[in-house]
Amino acid sequence: MFKDGLLKGKRILITGGGTGLGKEIATGYLQLGAEVWIAGRRGAVLDSCAKELTDKHGGTVRTHVVDIRDAQAVDAMVQHIWDRAGPLTGLVNNAAGNFISPTKDLTPNGFNAIANIVFHGSFYVTHAVGKRWIAGGHKGSVISILVTWVHTGSPYVVPSAMSKAGLHVMTKSLAVEWGRYGIRLNAIAPGPFPTEGASKRLRPGGSFEDSNDTNPMRRIGQMPELQNLATFLMADGCEWLTGETIAVDGAGYLANGAGFTGLDKLSDADWEKTRAMIKTQNDKDRAGRSA
Ligand code: HXC
């Protein structure tokens, strides 16, 4: 779809770039010639992703272990990139956390576990990068990976819906405030594109294909469709496009509104089972972080 070397000369940071949608976007950028930085909490996961991608596609993938909930660590990471490689040209706010739960059962800690990553963490990264672009007189492009719940709201994922809605408003606000510096902010709201992290926490025991019957295009997303949109928004040539959140969901949210409404039918026992399955995945991920 794009000409070879389209992203040559771009240096792009992708948070949560070692797995899931972040890894797919990193792959797309790398194939088109960008220098890619992937950041996340698990060094071993980042390293093996970087090796896999450069073995397959060549190019440069650098890694940085960071917890984006820690504003100081985020600032140090961004300074390290500037010092070691030079200014970034792009940022993808992809790192996120989410799990399904009845909102009445959430503790303040449970709410914060999501809001600290998505709402606070994504702001810290955007701020650390944006203020350096402004100080150095550099243009830049930010893409935040959101969800269509920013338009509809969504039951059973309220901390995520609230946090992503905050980033939707950040996108619009900073597009205006930073437009005069040549800094653009856009967002992508993907429908179901299955990844391990999302499947285990949002569809435990179920499948992303469950939504096929109700999607106007009768299917889930294909990764190149997401990669192509992320590339288009990052490439030169659409500099006047800013402040927008673009859904890529086969018109799913227009047809069906909020996701997860079907979880209304789960019993307390179903929820107990669901929570145990999510806990297994969280424990597995946490073990990888301390390794
Ligand atoms: C209720 C839960 C819970 C659950 C955790 N908690 N899981 N509460 N139901 N299923 C509560 C805990 O009880 C605890 O509160 C608090 O949350 C913190 O739990 P920890 O496990 O200690 O948190 P932590 O290790 O920081 O893990 C954060 C996490 C984890 C968000 C819970 O899942 C994570 O790091 N995920 C990152 C990857 C991820 O989630 N990927 C999917 C993204 S999908 P108490 O009070 O007990 O201490 C996405 C959108 C996709 O973002 C959209 C698709 C359409």
Side-chain angles (χ1 to χ4, degrees):
M1 186 169 179
F2 298 108
K3 65 173 193 266
D4 281 352
L6 180 76
L7 298 179
K8 223 169 175 0
K10 303 280 184 210
R11 179 174 297 116
I12 305 167
L13 170 64
I14 302 164
T15 63
T19 54
L21 300 186
K23 182 176 175 184
E24 299 291 340
I25 293 170
T27 307
Y29 288 168
L30 184 69
Q31 286 175 303
L32 289 166
E35 173 187 323
V36 174
W37 284 73
I38 53 175
R41 287 177 288 179
R42 292 172 291 166
V45 169
L46 293 173
D47 290 344
S48 95
C49 171
K51 182 170 177 341
E52 181 192 326
L53 296 192
T54 47
D55 282 353
K56 259 196 221 152
H57 307 293
T60 306
V61 179
R62 306 218 184 277
T63 64
H64 196 97
V65 175
V66 73
D67 185 337
I68 63 166
R69 292 176 291 192
D70 179 343
Q72 277 187 337
V74 165
D75 202 66
M77 167 182 70
V78 175
Q79 188 59 48
H80 170 79
I81 297 172
W82 248 250
D83 292 344
R84 163 134 194 231
L88 289 166
T89 60
L91 163 67
V92 180
N93 285 317
N94 166 79
N98 201 1
F99 52 75
I100 49 171
S101 173
T103 305
K104 70 178 175 51
D105 297 336
L106 288 175
T107 61
N109 249 352
F111 179 85
N112 291 339
I114 306 305
N116 286 345
I117 300 173
V118 180
F119 184 71
H120 291 268
S122 304
F123 175 79
Y124 297 151
V125 186
T126 306
H127 182 252
V129 172
K131 72 181 184 187
R132 286 175 174 81
W133 280 338
I134 293 168
H138 304 292
K139 291 181 177 181
S141 173
V142 178
I143 300 172
S144 297
I145 305 301
L146 303 182
V147 280
T148 53
W149 316 326
V150 302
H151 303 301
T152 61
S154 182
Y156 304 105
V157 283
V158 166
S160 167
M162 288 171 66
S163 299
K164 299 256 187 192
L167 299 183
H168 172 62
V169 171
M170 178 187 81
T171 298
K172 296 202 265 194
S173 308
L174 290 181
V176 176
E177 190 176 328
W178 290 354
R180 68 195 168 108
Y181 305 113
I183 299 172
R184 304 188 292 125
L185 292 98
N186 291 292
I188 298 175
F193 282 83
T195 64
E196 188 193 348
S199 302
K200 294 280 168 52
R201 294 178 181 91
L202 303 179
R203 299 282 199 287
S207 150
F208 271 79
E209 271 88 357
D210 295 349
S211 60
N212 283 2
D213 285 350
T214 53
N215 186 282
M217 294 196 166
R218 303 288 184 265
R219 66 171 174 89
I220 55 173
Q222 293 166 2
M223 283 303 174
E225 295 168 335
L226 180 78
Q227 291 167 320
N228 289 339
L229 178 56
T231 297
F232 172 73
L233 289 174
M234 199 51 92
D236 294 332
C238 62
E239 279 86 356
W240 223 37
L241 172 44
T242 186
E244 292 298 318
T245 296
I246 301 172
V248 49
D249 74 336
Y253 94 91
L254 293 175
N256 303 308
F260 298 115
T261 310
L263 297 179
D264 281 346
K265 60 181 184 298
L266 262 58
S267 66
D268 287 350
D270 292 333
W271 274 115
E272 233 166 86
K273 235 169 48 195
T274 300
R275 192 172 171 138
M277 289 163 84
I278 294 172
K279 185 172 181 314
T280 304
Q281 181 67 21
N282 286 348
D283 290 346
K284 189 179 140 204
D285 283 0
R286 199 170 307 108
R289 294 204 285 273
S290 51

